[in-house]
Amino acid sequence: MATDGTLPDSKVDVLIIGAGPAGLMSACWMAHCGVTTRIVDKRNNKIYCGQADGLQCRSLEIFDSLGFADRAWKEANHMIEICMWNPGPDGAIRRSDRIPDTIVGLSRFQQSVIHQGRVERFFLDNIKKYSKNTIQVERGVLPESLEIDETKVEDDSAYPVTVKLRHLTEEESTPEQQINGSKVSDGIFRSNLIQEDDEDDLIRKSKSRAGTGEVVHAKYVIGCDGARSWTRRALGFELQGEATDFIWGVLDIIPITDFPDIRMRCAIHSAEDGSLMVIPRENKMVRLYIQLKEVTPDASGRADRSKITPEIILNAAQKIISPYKIDYEYCDWWTAYQIGQRVGTDFDAHKRVFLAGDAVHTHSPKAGQGMNVSMQDAYNLGWKVALASKGIAKRSILGTYGSERRRIAQDLIDFDHRFSRLFSGRPAKDVMDEEGVSMEEFKDAFEKGNRFASGLIVNYGPSELVIKAPEPSEEGDQRKVDGSAVTGLSADALAKKQALAPGLPIGMRFNSYKILNQSDARPWHFQERLKSNGRFRVVLFAGNILNLEQAKRVEKFCEALDAPTSFYRTANPAGSSLDTVIEVLTIHSAKRTETELLRDFPEVLHPFDPHTGWDYDKVFVDDESYHEGFGDAYANYGVDKERGCVVVARPDQHVGWIGELEDFEGLQKYFEGCLVLGPKV
């Protein structure tokens, strides 16, 4: 057998393993923040069909902050209504209810569907643009070993993680299909029905060829390599949870049917033949999630995947949807899976190697959460790793990733556990049928689940990044760092700070209402100004700036902000612009036509550049627009229109701190707790 001899080695700030949605979200942050990065994937090509398809409201908000929500929104099929179908007295299915798919008023976006391959394309184009083509997915590359030098993990300048990589041939990196020779792609190779892993065999084959290996020394590694994650296994971590006996098949087809709601999202319970979910897709396609009652696990607890074919899945769908007919001529993709809910024992090792997405939690796909929660894991983690790797943020903030996202993963598992059993259960025949599922209970779970699934009720617990009092639901957090421990303030004092803006719950994402640019009267959703570029935002609700006393309060706050020793000036790397790390945005409540940018607002709120003049894009007003109505932001945020307040938005748009204009010391402490302040090289 040939040997590699001395392997070439290199250094990189961040190595990402896996180029699915979580890996690409991680790479996207690195591109936007200017971090040297490599991203590798053992498969030789991106996804072109099938896999995940649901985009929840929060994911679209995140896409907008990155700059490509418009592409997804235009191409996707928008989900407007859900129809419930249940057995009637005669046992035949009939439409029993209609509910809105997305709760009205939650977001400026609604749930939509588009296949994962297009989402990955949007990411790849965005990464290319912002990295100036320096970050590219390296396909057919597989990690062989991972080592962490524990003596160097606390050294900010060190590269303590060593990963050996192997380069595969085209044949080795092509996944096997379930039915050889079929023109229809399947996703069985990614399904949890597959337990065996092919990495060892692929590494053995690669080793037999000279020049296929290399060594990479990284500051940080992010493992986004799926439910059978190589990275997780290399760290010795496990997924803990259980599998059920429920087996489901999935078909992406252009349906030929007389079912009247085929272009609506539908939850269908048959009397005896199982359940089915209809997801209308783009390009006339429909995705069917079909319970396979005739396929059962064997003694080992796993179903025999060789017995599952598109024909068997369609036959099950035809029984469930009867007396309506359904067939197809075109099938784009199919797969099958066994419902199971598991959460990782650990989310990181030494705050140097992290796991995100399916690598650290798995669940059923019917709630449209897999791709969304995976991307949102990486959205939470990416900016923290980027700022820590650049020496802008303290490494201690990396510990908040596990505490914040573990709660979300556990909430998701709990929700999915209940939802999947209600969906898979037989409908109750009457009130005395204790083994059957109450359809009223199912509808209630569906409606509550939609709110959860939107991603908009995520509420991070207290830490150095979220200054608030702990809540009962947060007692499960592993890191017991609450707001009072960071600030020395009592829970009552912290509650009073929250009362300054009750419509902006600390720990939740910054909700969005329309405001106007002071200088040109253009209306904006405020969230549109919170771009994902690694910056924190200090949002000054300046109140009634025309009131003399309020103007003095604003002026005093701005004097402190502009002082040489303030966090605003000492957070920036040497030679960078004033708002490289922290951007100050202002929303006032006086009449736009009675105020003037240069007359009424201190210079620090609209800085002057000798080359480009005044900055006209940082001061906004809560006023009525000519064409888009009145957002009434102050009222919706619950902020006093005379006195205002100050709010910190983290780089991921979550609210981190709220205080009075006079509480500059508290604001300073917030940034001292999470950023590296002072002179930088």
Side-chain angles (χ1 to χ4, degrees), residues 606-619:
H606 53 93
F608 183 80
D609 183 287
H611 305 290
T612 59
W614 298 105
D615 193 326
Y616 296 100
D617 294 320
K618 295 190 188 303
V619 177

Side-chain angles (χ1 to χ4, degrees), residues 81-235:
E81 186 175 79
I82 299 171
C83 295
M84 306 281 189
W85 285 74
N86 294 301
D90 59 354
I93 60 170
R94 87 264 189 264
R95 186 191 304 111
S96 58
D97 218 331
R98 301 177 192 261
I99 58 175
D101 190 276
T102 302
I103 297 171
V104 178
L106 271 185
S107 172
R108 57 204 163 101
F109 296 104
Q110 293 85 53
Q111 185 180 186
S112 60
V113 286
I114 185 171
H115 86 76
Q116 181 176 321
R118 291 303 296 155
V119 173
E120 292 183 7
R121 170 48 57 196
F122 303 150
F123 271 119
L124 290 167
D125 290 347
N126 193 264
I127 292 165
K128 180 179 180 180
K129 174 182 176 181
Y130 282 92
S131 73
K132 296 181 172 58
N133 211 26
T134 60
I135 302 175
Q136 299 182 23
V137 177
E138 301 170 44
R139 301 194 183 276
V141 179
L142 176 68
E144 177 183 350
S145 64
L146 183 152
E147 296 177 0
I148 303 172
D149 186 342
E150 295 183 20
T151 66
K152 297 180 180 178
V153 293
E154 297 304 327
D155 181 351
D156 289 348
S157 62
Y159 295 78
V161 189
T162 300
V163 180
K164 186 182 291 185
L165 298 176
R166 287 285 164 187
H167 294 256
L168 308 177
T169 65
E170 183 83 7
E171 181 182 2
E172 290 165 353
S173 57
T174 301
E176 290 186 16
Q177 292 290 287
Q178 173 77 357
I179 303 175
N180 290 328
S182 172
K183 294 181 180 179
V184 179
S185 298
D186 73 67
I188 295 292
F189 71 94
R190 294 176 182 267
S191 167
N192 62 3
L193 296 180
I194 300 283
Q195 282 191 294
E196 62 271 18
D197 297 290
D198 60 356
E199 281 95 344
D200 290 343
D201 184 49
L202 292 175
I203 289 169
R204 180 181 54 78
K205 290 178 180 177
S206 176
K207 274 185 172 180
S208 68
R209 302 186 310 276
T212 63
E214 65 166 309
V215 175
V216 177
H217 304 280
K219 285 185 178 180
Y220 298 97
V221 171
I222 305 177
C224 306
D225 44 350
R228 295 191 305 281
S229 167
W230 177 91
T231 313
R232 184 185 67 238
R233 286 181 280 120
L235 295 173

Side-chain angles (χ1 to χ4, degrees), residues 13-28:
D13 287 345
V14 178
L15 173 65
I16 301 166
I17 300 172
L24 293 175
M25 177 69 81
S26 302
C28 208

Side-chain angles (χ1 to χ4, degrees), residues 52-61 63 69 71-80 101-102 109-115 119 122 265 279-282 367-368 371-372 375 453-454:
D53 65 346
L55 286 178
Q56 303 292 354
C57 304
R58 181 59 187 148
S59 295
L60 285 159
E61 291 180 355
F63 289 179
R71 295 182 69 185
W73 191 240
K74 286 175 183 176
E75 286 191 29
N77 183 49
H78 297 190
M79 308 283 275
I80 307 302
D101 190 276
T102 302
F109 296 104
Q110 293 85 53
Q111 185 180 186
S112 60
V113 286
I114 185 171
H115 86 76
V119 173
F122 303 150
R265 184 180 175 195
I279 306 288
R281 295 277 304 275
E282 70 280 12
M371 178 167 63
N372 292 274
M375 292 188 298
S454 71

Side-chain angles (χ1 to χ4, degrees), residues 227-535:
R228 295 191 305 281
S229 167
W230 177 91
T231 313
R232 184 185 67 238
R233 286 181 280 120
L235 295 173
F237 299 165
E238 296 179 352
L239 291 179
Q240 294 182 337
E242 61 178 356
T244 71
D245 291 338
F246 301 124
I247 313 296
W248 287 70
V250 188
L251 290 176
D252 280 351
I253 61 174
I254 296 178
I256 302 170
T257 182
D258 59 353
F259 182 66
D261 289 340
I262 198 66
R263 293 306 302 173
M264 291 288 187
R265 184 180 175 195
C266 295
I268 304 171
H269 280 88
S270 70
E272 300 292 344
D273 293 310
S275 304
L276 184 154
M277 181 177 281
V278 177
I279 306 288
R281 295 277 304 275
E282 70 280 12
N283 299 325
K284 294 187 177 182
M285 280 200 301
V286 168
R287 171 165 292 187
L288 303 179
Y289 287 103
I290 304 137
Q291 188 175 358
L292 304 179
K293 294 198 72 175
E294 295 180 8
V295 180
T296 56
D298 58 23
S300 69
R302 290 279 164 178
D304 183 353
R305 64 182 184 271
S306 67
K307 295 180 180 178
I308 303 173
T309 64
E311 291 73 25
I312 286 173
I313 299 172
L314 177 65
N315 183 58
Q318 290 170 334
K319 289 181 179 179
I320 295 167
I321 211 168
S322 177
Y324 299 99
K325 309 295 183 185
I326 189 165
D327 206 336
Y328 66 84
E329 290 187 5
Y330 176 76
C331 177
D332 193 56
W333 177 83
W334 68 278
T335 192
Y337 64 91
Q338 186 169 358
I339 291 179
Q341 293 96 9
R342 294 181 172 86
V343 180
T345 52
D346 299 271
F347 279 52
D348 74 88
H350 303 287
K351 294 193 291 241
R352 287 291 185 172
V353 181
F354 299 87
L355 299 173
D358 288 353
V360 81
H361 48 70
T362 63
H363 47 87
S364 71
K366 290 187 298 304
Q369 290 294 278
M371 178 167 63
N372 292 274
V373 175
S374 295
M375 292 188 298
Q376 289 161 29
D377 281 350
Y379 189 66
N380 176 290
L381 173 64
W383 65 271
K384 297 172 183 176
V385 170
L387 296 190
S389 71
K390 295 177 75 173
I392 290 171
K394 294 182 175 179
R395 271 191 18 90
S396 59
I397 72 167
L398 296 171
T400 65
Y401 167 65
S403 61
E404 291 179 345
R405 295 308 296 180
R406 172 177 287 279
R407 277 189 55 226
I408 304 309
Q410 193 59 58
D411 288 348
L412 171 60
I413 295 305
D414 294 343
F415 158 70
D416 186 59
H417 188 273
R418 181 177 180 229
F419 180 76
S420 62
R421 280 156 179 75
L422 286 172
F423 204 108
S424 301
R426 174 182 60 77
K429 296 175 181 176
D430 53 47
V431 293
M432 301 300 290
D433 184 356
E434 294 183 1
E435 293 185 2
V437 171
S438 160
M439 290 298 100
E440 281 301 313
E441 183 183 3
F442 177 76
K443 178 186 174 184
D444 179 65
F446 213 103
E447 289 179 322
K448 289 179 179 175
N450 263 14
R451 187 175 183 87
F452 172 81
S454 71
L456 302 178
I457 63 171
V458 168
N459 192 346
Y460 294 144
S463 68
E464 57 265 56
L465 289 171
V466 177
I467 308 301
K468 69 176 185 180
E471 300 168 4
S473 63
E474 292 157 359
E475 292 303 314
D477 281 8
Q478 290 185 324
R479 293 177 80 247
K480 299 286 185 177
V481 182
D482 64 32
S484 57
V486 175
T487 64
L489 298 173
S490 67
D492 183 58
L494 291 168
K496 288 180 179 177
K497 289 179 176 294
Q498 177 65 85
L500 295 170
L504 285 168
I506 301 172
M508 296 183 74
R509 114 293 191 200
F510 207 116
N511 199 2
S512 194
Y513 298 101
K514 283 286 181 74
I515 39 89
L516 309 182
N517 183 295
Q518 170 63 37
S519 299
D520 63 16
R522 177 176 173 176
W524 293 90
H525 257 288
F526 185 64
Q527 203 178 72
E528 294 178 275
R529 310 309 302 175
L530 307 180
K531 296 298 183 186
S532 291
N533 51 22
R535 289 188 176 100

